[in-house]
Short mmCIF file of all heavy atoms in Angstrom, two decimals:
data_model
loop_
_atom_site.label_atom_id
_atom_site.label_comp_id
_atom_site.label_asym_id
_atom_site.label_seq_id
_atom_site.Cartn_x
_atom_site.Cartn_y
_atom_site.Cartn_z
N ALA A 279 -68.89 69.33 -53.01
CA ALA A 279 -68.84 68.99 -54.44
C ALA A 279 -70.24 68.87 -55.02
O ALA A 279 -70.54 69.38 -56.11
CB ALA A 279 -68.06 67.70 -54.65
N LEU A 280 -71.14 68.22 -54.28
CA LEU A 280 -72.52 68.08 -54.76
C LEU A 280 -73.22 69.44 -54.84
O LEU A 280 -73.96 69.72 -55.79
CB LEU A 280 -73.31 67.14 -53.83
CG LEU A 280 -72.92 65.65 -53.85
CD1 LEU A 280 -73.63 64.89 -52.75
CD2 LEU A 280 -73.23 65.03 -55.21
N THR A 281 -72.98 70.29 -53.84
CA THR A 281 -73.56 71.63 -53.85
C THR A 281 -73.09 72.42 -55.07
O THR A 281 -73.88 73.11 -55.73
CB THR A 281 -73.20 72.39 -52.56
OG1 THR A 281 -73.65 71.63 -51.44
CG2 THR A 281 -73.83 73.77 -52.53
N PHE A 282 -71.79 72.32 -55.37
CA PHE A 282 -71.23 73.02 -56.53
C PHE A 282 -71.86 72.51 -57.83
O PHE A 282 -72.24 73.30 -58.71
CB PHE A 282 -69.71 72.83 -56.57
CG PHE A 282 -69.06 73.47 -57.77
CD1 PHE A 282 -68.77 74.83 -57.77
CD2 PHE A 282 -68.77 72.72 -58.90
CE1 PHE A 282 -68.19 75.43 -58.89
CE2 PHE A 282 -68.19 73.31 -60.01
CZ PHE A 282 -67.89 74.67 -60.01
N ILE A 283 -71.99 71.18 -57.95
CA ILE A 283 -72.58 70.60 -59.17
C ILE A 283 -74.02 71.08 -59.36
O ILE A 283 -74.43 71.45 -60.46
CB ILE A 283 -72.52 69.06 -59.11
CG1 ILE A 283 -71.07 68.59 -59.25
CG2 ILE A 283 -73.38 68.44 -60.21
CD1 ILE A 283 -70.86 67.11 -58.98
N ARG A 284 -74.79 71.08 -58.28
CA ARG A 284 -76.21 71.47 -58.38
C ARG A 284 -76.38 72.96 -58.71
O ARG A 284 -77.30 73.34 -59.44
CB ARG A 284 -76.94 71.15 -57.08
CG ARG A 284 -76.96 69.68 -56.71
CD ARG A 284 -77.66 68.83 -57.75
NE ARG A 284 -77.56 67.41 -57.43
CZ ARG A 284 -77.39 66.46 -58.32
NH1 ARG A 284 -77.27 66.78 -59.60
NH2 ARG A 284 -77.32 65.20 -57.98
N LYS A 285 -75.48 73.80 -58.20
CA LYS A 285 -75.65 75.24 -58.38
C LYS A 285 -74.94 75.78 -59.62
O LYS A 285 -75.43 76.71 -60.28
CB LYS A 285 -75.14 75.98 -57.14
CG LYS A 285 -76.04 75.82 -55.92
CD LYS A 285 -75.57 76.71 -54.78
CE LYS A 285 -76.55 76.64 -53.60
NZ LYS A 285 -76.11 77.49 -52.47
N GLU A 286 -73.78 75.23 -59.95
CA GLU A 286 -72.94 75.84 -60.98
C GLU A 286 -72.86 75.06 -62.28
O GLU A 286 -72.39 75.59 -63.29
CB GLU A 286 -71.50 76.01 -60.43
CG GLU A 286 -71.40 76.77 -59.11
CD GLU A 286 -71.84 78.21 -59.24
OE1 GLU A 286 -71.81 78.74 -60.37
OE2 GLU A 286 -72.24 78.81 -58.22
N CYS A 287 -73.28 73.81 -62.28
CA CYS A 287 -73.09 72.96 -63.47
C CYS A 287 -74.43 72.64 -64.13
O CYS A 287 -75.48 72.67 -63.49
CB CYS A 287 -72.38 71.66 -63.09
SG CYS A 287 -70.78 71.91 -62.32
N LYS A 288 -74.36 72.32 -65.42
CA LYS A 288 -75.53 71.87 -66.17
C LYS A 288 -75.32 70.41 -66.56
O LYS A 288 -74.27 70.04 -67.07
CB LYS A 288 -75.71 72.71 -67.43
CG LYS A 288 -76.15 74.14 -67.16
CD LYS A 288 -76.40 74.90 -68.46
CE LYS A 288 -76.87 76.32 -68.18
NZ LYS A 288 -77.10 77.08 -69.44
N GLU A 289 -76.35 69.60 -66.32
CA GLU A 289 -76.26 68.17 -66.63
C GLU A 289 -77.12 67.85 -67.84
O GLU A 289 -78.29 68.23 -67.90
CB GLU A 289 -76.73 67.34 -65.43
CG GLU A 289 -75.85 67.44 -64.21
CD GLU A 289 -76.36 66.59 -63.06
OE1 GLU A 289 -77.54 66.74 -62.70
OE2 GLU A 289 -75.60 65.77 -62.54
N HIS A 290 -76.54 67.14 -68.80
CA HIS A 290 -77.31 66.71 -69.96
C HIS A 290 -78.22 65.54 -69.59
O HIS A 290 -79.29 65.36 -70.17
CB HIS A 290 -76.38 66.33 -71.10
CG HIS A 290 -75.61 67.50 -71.66
ND1 HIS A 290 -76.21 68.51 -72.39
CD2 HIS A 290 -74.30 67.83 -71.55
CE1 HIS A 290 -75.30 69.41 -72.73
NE2 HIS A 290 -74.14 69.02 -72.23
N ILE A 291 -77.76 64.73 -68.64
CA ILE A 291 -78.57 63.62 -68.12
C ILE A 291 -78.76 63.86 -66.63
O ILE A 291 -77.78 64.00 -65.89
CB ILE A 291 -77.89 62.26 -68.35
CG1 ILE A 291 -77.71 62.02 -69.85
CG2 ILE A 291 -78.72 61.13 -67.73
CD1 ILE A 291 -76.94 60.76 -70.18
N VAL A 292 -79.99 63.92 -66.19
CA VAL A 292 -80.29 64.22 -64.80
C VAL A 292 -79.73 63.11 -63.90
O VAL A 292 -79.88 61.92 -64.19
CB VAL A 292 -81.81 64.36 -64.57
CG1 VAL A 292 -82.11 64.64 -63.10
CG2 VAL A 292 -82.36 65.49 -65.43
N SER A 293 -79.09 63.51 -62.82
CA SER A 293 -78.52 62.55 -61.87
C SER A 293 -79.04 62.83 -60.47
O SER A 293 -79.62 63.88 -60.21
CB SER A 293 -76.99 62.63 -61.88
OG SER A 293 -76.57 63.90 -61.37
N VAL A 294 -78.82 61.89 -59.59
CA VAL A 294 -79.15 62.08 -58.18
C VAL A 294 -77.84 61.98 -57.39
O VAL A 294 -76.84 61.47 -57.88
CB VAL A 294 -80.16 61.03 -57.66
CG1 VAL A 294 -81.50 61.21 -58.34
CG2 VAL A 294 -79.66 59.61 -57.89
N ASP A 295 -77.86 62.48 -56.15
CA ASP A 295 -76.63 62.55 -55.36
C ASP A 295 -75.99 61.17 -55.16
O ASP A 295 -74.77 61.02 -55.23
CB ASP A 295 -76.92 63.18 -54.00
CG ASP A 295 -77.27 64.66 -54.12
OD1 ASP A 295 -77.14 65.21 -55.23
OD2 ASP A 295 -77.68 65.27 -53.10
N VAL A 296 -76.82 60.17 -54.89
CA VAL A 296 -76.28 58.82 -54.64
C VAL A 296 -75.63 58.28 -55.91
O VAL A 296 -74.60 57.59 -55.85
CB VAL A 296 -77.39 57.88 -54.15
CG1 VAL A 296 -76.84 56.48 -53.90
CG2 VAL A 296 -78.02 58.41 -52.88
N ASN A 297 -76.20 58.59 -57.06
CA ASN A 297 -75.65 58.15 -58.34
C ASN A 297 -74.25 58.74 -58.55
O ASN A 297 -73.31 58.03 -58.93
CB ASN A 297 -76.60 58.57 -59.46
CG ASN A 297 -75.99 58.47 -60.84
OD1 ASN A 297 -76.15 59.38 -61.64
ND2 ASN A 297 -75.29 57.39 -61.12
#
Side-chain angles (χ1 to χ4, degrees):
L280 290 172
T281 303
F282 178 81
I283 290 171
R284 299 298 175 219
K285 288 187 175 180
E286 306 295 337
C287 302
K288 290 184 179 179
E289 294 180 307
H290 294 290
I291 299 175
V292 178
S293 66
V294 294
D295 291 352
V296 180
N297 166 225

